[in-house]
Amino acid sequence: MSDQEVMITMKDVNKWYGDFHVLKDVNLNIKKGEKVVICGPSGSGKSTTIRCLNHLEKFQEGSININGTELIEDVKVVRHIRSQVGMVFQHFNLFPHLSVLENLLIAPTWVHKKPRKEAIETAMYYLERVKIAEQAHKYPNQLSGGQQQRVAIARCLCINPEIMLFDEPTSALDPEMVSEVLDVMVELADEGITMICVTHEMGFAKKVADRVVFMDAGQVIEENEPNEFFDNPQSDRLKLFLEQILSH
Amino acid sequence: MATYTMKEAKPAPTTNKGVVFWLRENLFPDVKNTLLTLAGLYLLYTIIPPLLDWMIFDATWTGSKDEVVNSGARWIFIVEKFDQFMYGFYPEALHWRPNLVGILSLILIFGFKYIGSIKLKIATIILFPIICFILISGGWFGLEVVETEKWGGLMLTILVAAVGIVASFPIGVVLALGRQSDMPILRTLCIGFIEFVRGVPLITILFMASVLLPLFFHDGIEFNKLLRALIGITLFQAAYIAEVIRGGLQAIPKGQYEASEALGLTYWQGMILIILPQALKISIPNLVGSFISLFKDTTLVLIIGLFDILAMVTLTNSDTNWLGYEVEGYVFVTLIYWVCCFSMSQYSKSIERKFNTEH
């Protein structure tokens, strides 16, 4: 693969919380437009890995390159990277004091300095896309969990990101609302945006992912394209994991 | 296939409503509570009528003090000294100036939300105190200068409290943010200031402000007594505000900080647009509580020789023509303080309702 195609390179990334070694030599190469699902037991470092990519977590060793920019501890570099990377959180993290529309306007108007009128048009377009435009003037707490998560996705799309990170986007939702969020994510995947998704939704992984990565105890144990990953797991650890999550 | 029908919502039963039900439920549910209710009613009966007699029905409102025949309160004292209670020694011909400031302030308090643009709001916040200062102290636009020594009464009380509240607020916000900062020196300085000020009584700070501050300046500079008190009170209040706001900041979930960072907002953008609006909203009840105590604490300025409303009452009581009117004077001051503090508390409730987005 050529250099232009590479979107994310993680090279030997190591991270410690105090003495606790959370990421051990994590290597990950993701091409432009690729959909990658990261799974693994809790505490395996999957969330930490993607949180390193937009510098919500610092790492001590190794290097990360995002779309040609080396991630270093410099305010401007970090802001530059964050302006191309959208993140969707487990608990939505919408701003409760702002209406849905205002939530979507914050980054375009303050970070990307777009005129307000243009930003409103973009925001309404994406609210339409996630099928929630009629709620634009409500406050986040007046919406259901699934609706809030869709607003959170729209909020990321408003900055027109190169990369979307999803950190367990459906884990905090009522079971009835998981599918409405996954539907939006599947649509998004069809459009060629680079996606990295930490999730336990294996159906989503099978349907959408180009590659599935399995992590345990801070290491990448195994990565493969979805059919091979689920049908022909190589390591015992992954076999056990799949047995446990797919057993019922 | 099993069929079912959705049940219609029915109105709640009506038996648990109405005055009689409320009385039975709350005042006379059983023998013990009935006795307590009756005892309470008797107590009110022994207190309220005599109080009303004294304050209103047997009170003397007009006339000269030598003609008083009623047994109740002699409010003529308040009527006679009213101007001094309100303005201290501010020249009588110029009373319209503080009056105008008062009216403008009320217009600002109730009209502020109707100002449309943010720029106009900021301009108002900056210009308003300057206009008030010029109106009260004079010296510009042909207004006669009134030295601060002549300022007094309720006017001074409100002025000291208002300056204390308005000036301490931004300082308190900065201290609260500094206390949470990642920069160790800044954090230590903020914690040091807050903990020092909170560990010292206001009286001490006022004494220090009036005795110590002048030492820092050259002999030639005459440092105004009122200004010194204002600086002292502002710094004192800022430390308390900082702690109240810190409480609000800590109540904001970590996800809010992360989301604003992940969107690419800078530290100050994140604080001003996302974190502070939420933190301040949570802090409103405590902030207003703190402002109410400041309003009452302002009366301590009397010990460094400023004549606020309480000092004016004490002073007028030593007028040989008006000896023995302490009770009327202090009851009047109590009412004034209560009206002011209660208004603040009500105003805070209305702000809280306005910012509530959890419908």
Side-chain angles (χ1 to χ4, degrees):
Chain A
M1 68 187 181
S2 74
D3 271 357
Q4 288 103 328
E5 283 181 315
V6 177
M7 190 56 103
I8 298 169
T9 318
M10 287 184 94
K11 200 161 181 300
D12 295 328
V13 172
N14 278 280
K15 178 180 172 61
W16 289 263
Y17 285 125
D19 283 334
F20 182 57
H21 200 172
V22 272
L23 295 183
K24 301 170 187 159
D25 291 327
V26 173
N27 285 291
L28 213 52
N29 288 296
I30 295 168
K31 284 181 283 186
K32 191 175 164 74
E34 205 176 5
K35 291 30 164 161
V36 176
V37 164
I38 305 179
C39 59
S42 57
S44 60
K46 14 182 231 310
S47 286
T48 312
T49 305
I50 68 166
R51 286 161 59 87
C52 281
L53 294 177
N54 67 349
H55 204 256
L56 285 183
E57 300 282 354
K58 294 171 184 172
F59 55 95
Q60 282 88 18
E61 279 175 19
S63 69
I64 293 180
N65 189 302
I66 310 270
N67 200 13
T69 310
E70 194 72 23
L71 177 53
I72 53 170
E73 285 213 21
D74 176 282
V75 180
K76 279 187 181 149
V77 170
V78 170
R79 283 196 76 202
H80 175 68
I81 284 174
R82 283 174 179 167
S83 72
Q84 324 174 33
V85 180
M87 183 173 231
V88 175
F89 299 88
Q90 183 178 359
H91 296 286
F92 334 129
N93 297 354
L94 294 178
F95 306 132
H97 63 304
L98 299 175
S99 70
V100 165
L101 182 62
E102 292 292 338
N103 263 279
L104 270 64
L105 295 180
I106 284 273
T109 51
W110 291 92
V111 182
H112 300 262
K113 311 284 182 206
K114 274 199 205 163
R116 195 176 156 87
K117 217 180 143 206
E118 195 188 320
I120 291 178
E121 277 169 27
T122 319
M124 290 312 292
Y125 168 75
Y126 284 115
L127 283 178
E128 206 79 58
R129 283 277 312 275
V130 300
K131 300 176 188 73
I132 211 163
E134 70 283 359
Q135 318 275 16
H137 295 286
K138 288 199 178 171
Y139 286 94
N141 291 328
Q142 296 169 280
L143 305 182
S144 73
Q147 290 174 320
Q148 290 192 46
Q149 193 61 299
R150 284 185 282 149
V151 171
I153 293 172
R155 181 172 71 179
C156 288
L157 294 174
C158 279
I159 63 170
N160 201 14
E162 296 281 342
I163 301 166
M164 287 281 279
L165 307 174
F166 292 84
D167 190 0
E168 306 203 24
T170 56
S171 306
L173 294 176
D174 286 343
E176 274 189 316
M177 293 165 183
V178 170
S179 67
E180 65 185 65
V181 171
L182 289 180
D183 286 347
V184 169
M185 290 168 62
V186 171
E187 262 183 51
L188 209 59
D190 291 339
E191 283 175 28
I193 197 168
T194 310
M195 275 171 67
I196 306 178
C197 187
V198 172
T199 185
H200 296 115
E201 298 293 335
M202 291 304 135
F204 174 79
K206 281 178 192 165
K207 197 167 169 186
V208 167
D210 297 311
R211 194 151 40 111
V212 185
V213 176
F214 176 66
M215 289 185 73
D216 186 27
Q219 307 183 44
V220 174
I221 305 283
E222 198 169 330
E223 52 182 305
N224 217 330
E225 54 96 17
N227 288 337
E228 280 291 300
F229 183 89
F230 290 109
D231 299 340
N232 188 19
Q234 303 297 310
S235 60
D236 294 343
R237 185 66 190 89
L238 178 55
K239 279 176 195 160
L240 181 67
F241 179 74
L242 289 176
E243 246 169 55
Q244 277 164 344
I245 61 166
L246 299 176
S247 63
H248 44 146
Chain B
M1 197 167 75
T3 58
Y4 63 93
T5 45
M6 287 298 215
K7 286 178 181 145
E8 293 286 326
K10 286 187 283 189
T14 48
T15 46
N16 53 3
K17 285 178 190 164
V19 179
V20 177
F21 176 81
W22 186 89
L23 285 177
R24 196 146 34 103
E25 187 79 349
N26 293 290
L27 297 181
F28 306 103
D30 54 36
V31 176
K32 197 176 72 183
N33 279 296
T34 304
L35 285 175
L36 279 173
T37 302
L38 291 176
L41 285 175
Y42 178 73
L43 201 66
L44 288 178
Y45 172 73
T46 56
I47 294 170
I48 303 283
L51 193 66
L52 287 178
D53 281 347
W54 184 81
M55 285 188 74
I56 298 166
F57 302 120
D58 291 339
T60 311
W61 301 84
T62 51
S64 91
K65 68 184 172 85
D66 305 320
E67 296 161 5
V68 172
V69 284
N70 293 331
S71 57
R74 296 157 298 176
W75 297 124
I76 43 171
F77 169 68
I78 307 296
V79 175
E80 174 77 20
K81 301 286 184 186
F82 188 76
D83 279 3
Q84 290 188 42
F85 291 161
M86 290 298 120
Y87 309 99
F89 308 108
Y90 206 88
E92 206 174 333
L94 302 176
H95 283 176
W96 65 272
R97 279 156 56 177
N99 287 346
L100 183 59
V101 167
I103 292 167
L104 287 177
S105 307
L106 285 177
I107 293 175
L108 183 77
I109 289 170
F110 291 104
F112 191 70
K113 60 185 168 191
Y114 299 112
I115 300 176
S117 90
I118 299 233
K119 279 176 192 158
L120 214 59
K121 278 188 176 174
I122 295 172
T124 314
I125 291 172
I126 294 170
L127 282 179
F128 185 74
I130 300 173
I131 295 170
C132 292
F133 176 77
I134 291 174
L135 268 173
I136 291 186
S137 93
W140 277 283
F141 309 115
L143 292 173
E144 192 186 323
V145 175
V146 182
E147 291 85 12
T148 54
E149 283 75 20
K150 291 184 180 161
W151 303 8
L154 182 63
M155 178 192 113
L156 186 77
T157 299
I158 292 179
L159 184 124
V160 171
V163 171
I165 288 168
V166 174
S168 68
F169 187 70
I171 304 175
V173 170
V174 171
L175 282 171
L177 293 177
R179 182 159 193 170
Q180 296 212 317
S181 162
D182 294 333
M183 290 176 257
I185 296 178
L186 182 66
R187 192 172 60 233
T188 314
L189 282 175
C190 289
I191 293 177
F193 176 83
I194 291 168
E195 294 303 337
F196 172 72
V197 172
R198 290 208 310 159
V200 179
L202 179 56
I203 293 196
T204 323
I205 296 202
L206 286 174
F207 275 132
M208 284 201 303
S210 65
V211 179
L212 269 183
L213 264 183
L215 298 181
F216 296 124
F217 295 90
H218 298 294
D219 299 335
I221 298 173
E222 180 65 43
F223 214 29
N224 187 295
K225 188 158 57 172
L226 176 61
L227 185 61
R228 280 177 276 168
L230 287 178
I231 292 175
I233 283 181
T234 301
L235 295 180
F236 178 80
Q237 182 67 4
Y240 282 87
I241 298 290
E243 284 301 278
V244 170
I245 293 177
R246 180 169 73 107
L249 287 173
Q250 284 174 340
I252 305 299
K254 208 167 143 240
Q256 294 290 310
Y257 291 87
E258 290 180 348
S260 70
E261 279 180 45
L263 286 173
L265 296 174
T266 63
Y267 174 80
W268 285 108
Q269 285 174 340
M271 284 300 153
I272 292 170
L273 298 169
I274 309 299
I275 306 300
L276 280 174
Q278 298 183 57
L280 294 179
K281 193 183 96 181
I282 304 174
S283 312
I284 290 172
N286 288 334
L287 280 173
V288 176
S290 176
F291 290 152
I292 288 175
S293 6
L294 174 71
F295 186 83
K296 292 179 288 183
D297 283 350
T298 55
T299 197
L300 290 172
V301 296
L302 72 88
I303 59 141
I304 59 167
L306 295 169
F307 289 95
D308 76 326
I309 186 165
L310 193 61
M312 287 311 298
V313 171
T314 314
L315 191 75
T316 44
N317 271 320
S318 56
D319 179 344
T320 43
N321 285 322
W322 290 91
L323 291 174
Y325 287 80
E326 286 89 351
V327 180
E328 283 85 352
Y330 291 124
V331 167
F332 176 67
V333 175
T334 309
L335 278 174
I336 296 266
Y337 272 112
W338 182 79
V339 167
C340 291
C341 294
F342 186 67
S343 309
M344 284 162 88
S345 132
Q346 290 302 309
Y347 190 65
S348 103
K349 275 190 189 160
S350 80
I351 303 178
E352 269 177 74
R353 271 196 298 274
K354 184 172 169 256
F355 287 133
N356 181 19
T357 58
E358 324 250 331
H359 324 276

